Amino acid sequence: MSPAWPLAGLLMASASAHAAPRGADPALSRADIVCTARKTDRRFGYRYRYDVTLAVRAGRVRRFNLSQRAKAEDGDEQGCAIGLGDLKQEPGNGAIVLRADGDGEGKPRCTIRITAEGRQLRIRIGDAAEEGNDCRGGDNVMYCSPRSFWADVIIDRKTSACRPVE
C-alpha cells in the first residue's frame, strides 16, 4: 500500500466529519431552497402567499427568510416576516434550531425548528410547549401584524416546492 492511501482516507473522514453537527440528520447538512406557495380561500375572500429562502452549508444556516401574507378582497393585508438577522442558531438534537436573539424570561419568544422528515423539510414556527413562543414578536420587534399568525411550511427536498401546514 502506498503512503497516499492512508492520507486519502484521512481527508475523506475529515470532510465527512464536518458535514453536519453531531446528532444532526445528514439531510440537514446542505440545502438551497427558494420557494413560494399561494393559496386562495374563496369562502372568506383571502389570498395567501408564503415565501421561504433557506441556505444551509455543513449544518449551519447561511440564509433564511420567511414571510407569510394574507390579503382580503377589500385590500386589508396582514402578514408575518422574519429573517436570519433576527435569529441565532443553537444546537438542535437532530434538527436545526433558530431562536430570536435577546429573548428574556417571561417575554414573547420565537423558536424555529427545521427538521428532515423523509424527502421533506419541515419548518416549525414557535413551540406550543412554551407559553408565548409563537414567533409573533420578541423583546423589541414584532414579526407579525396584529391579526396575522404563522403556518408551518413543508418543503419537498427534491423539487424545492413548498406548502403551508396550518
Side-chain angles (χ1 to χ4, degrees):
M1 183 189 265
S2 78
W5 284 101
L7 181 58
L10 178 63
L11 292 174
M12 285 177 46
S14 176
S16 64
H18 294 290
R22 185 176 301 190
D25 187 318
L28 297 173
S29 66
R30 182 177 177 90
D32 285 300
I33 307 290
V34 175
C35 66
T36 297
R38 290 179 176 86
K39 181 175 98 173
T40 301
D41 182 342
R42 296 188 198 292
R43 181 175 175 203
F44 294 105
Y46 280 91
R47 290 187 326 257
Y48 298 90
R49 180 180 169 130
Y50 306 85
D51 292 296
V52 178
T53 300
L54 173 66
V56 179
R57 297 290 182 275
R60 299 288 308 162
V61 176
R62 300 297 179 201
R63 281 186 303 147
F64 180 80
N65 288 297
L66 182 63
S67 68
Q68 301 180 3
R69 302 271 179 240
K71 188 171 186 176
E73 289 176 347
D74 67 5
D76 179 47
E77 188 171 353
Q78 300 289 320
C80 297
I82 194 164
L84 189 57
D86 299 312
L87 304 161
K88 191 174 5 175
Q89 188 166 344
E90 297 181 353
N93 194 17
I96 292 174
V97 176
L98 303 169
R99 189 177 291 266
D101 221 5
D103 285 345
E105 283 298 313
K107 299 203 176 169
R109 298 187 186 287
C110 180
T111 302
I112 297 173
R113 187 174 311 277
I114 303 169
T115 57
E117 300 174 3
R119 71 179 259 174
Q120 301 173 333
L121 294 180
R122 183 178 187 125
I123 300 175
R124 296 180 185 269
I125 311 297
D127 184 348
E130 186 179 348
E131 187 177 338
N133 193 336
D134 59 8
C135 294
R136 296 195 71 229
D139 281 350
N140 299 312
V141 66
M142 295 301 296
Y143 304 118
C144 294
S145 53
R147 294 185 313 278
S148 191
F149 297 90
W150 289 103
D152 290 354
V153 178
I154 302 282
I155 302 164
D156 184 295
R157 291 191 338 224
K158 192 168 194 154
T159 65
S160 293
C162 56
R163 65 182 169 84
V165 178
E166 298 176 357

